[in-house]
Amino acid sequence: MFTSGDSVPMNDFDPVVFLSPVLAIIASILLLLIIKNKSRLRANVVLFALISYAAAIALKEIVQYFSLSFIYDHFGKISILTGLYFGLQTSIFEVFGAYLIALIVAKRSLISEKDADAYGGSLAFWENAVLLGALSLFSLLVDYVLIASGSALGSLVFKELQSSDPGLFYPPLSVLPDVLLGALERLSSILAHYSWGFLTLSAAVLKKKKLLYVAIPMGMIDAIVPFEPFMGIDIFEGIVFAFSLFFLFIAIHYRKIYLNGGS
């Protein structure tokens, strides 16, 4: 325990909270290593995935900046229309956007069907290893160091986190279930991004629109996000994981058909 200049007692949050972003980083990198070993992983494909993902996130931010408050005011934070609002953004910007980028580079013969695994794995990497992995880990480390310093700035950070995210300061055994659920959420995201990335690139390269039509609805997984408070975190993460496993099954099914000489 530390005490700031204004005598506000501060407790360091337990480092166990670092586990969730660390596991997300490890899982994302492991997927890319598996792809490199089993298929192929080229730097330009990783870059194309970054362009697709960054553009999608930027467009989401713009749309939500101008419309999120309107949606919440008129439809509430928990409603079917609010769910559709989020789901459609992911389907259009992330899934269809991934297809458009793949289509552009495919026309320039910069990718082939052999890059489908790498494209999906790279989309998962940028979301989970970088945006929600490394950046989250860095933010947690900065907060941890500031609070541990006992400085006036550390006191401000402590008060803010105690108000916005009090779970950080729970005992380790109380924090661990949330940390593991967070890791499960990242795993679900990895599976979903890999699946629609694989399908969209395959659709672009092989000129199989059917694969695009299969992939686009996967983005609607975000339509259930507003209902997490209603379901409870355990049920919510279980449902998301089940959907992500289903997406993976679909991707594997079409992989066997189009890339492994199936019929």
Side-chain angles (χ1 to χ4, degrees), residues 236-254:
F236 173 79
E237 294 298 352
I239 291 174
V240 170
F241 183 64
F243 271 114
S244 299
L245 281 178
F246 179 61
F247 298 163
L248 180 63
F249 170 80
I250 293 174
I252 291 173
H253 171 71
Y254 284 105

Side-chain angles (χ1 to χ4, degrees), residues 198-246:
F198 172 87
L199 291 169
T200 52
L201 186 139
S202 297
V205 172
L206 300 173
K207 296 181 174 59
K208 298 288 186 180
K209 288 289 185 67
K210 176 182 178 181
L211 298 180
L212 175 63
Y213 302 149
V214 169
I216 285 178
M218 292 181 177
M220 293 304 295
I221 192 171
D222 279 350
I224 67 174
V225 169
F227 298 95
E228 183 270 322
F230 175 76
M231 297 178 185
I233 187 66
D234 295 355
I235 295 175
F236 173 79
E237 294 298 352
I239 291 174
V240 170
F241 183 64
F243 271 114
S244 299
L245 281 178
F246 179 61

Side-chain angles (χ1 to χ4, degrees), residues 5 70 99 152 227:
F70 173 85
Y99 169 75
F227 298 95

Side-chain angles (χ1 to χ4, degrees), residues 151-203:
S151 64
L153 179 57
S155 176
L156 291 175
V157 172
F158 171 75
K159 291 177 182 178
E160 175 63 28
L161 288 177
Q162 202 175 37
S163 173
S164 63
D165 198 358
L168 287 174
F169 303 96
Y170 292 167
L173 290 180
S174 298
V175 174
L176 190 58
D178 288 339
V179 169
L180 294 178
L181 284 171
L184 179 63
E185 181 179 0
R186 293 302 97 223
L187 177 58
S188 298
S189 175
I190 289 171
L191 297 180
H193 282 80
Y194 165 79
S195 300
W196 70 56
F198 172 87
L199 291 169
T200 52
L201 186 139
S202 297

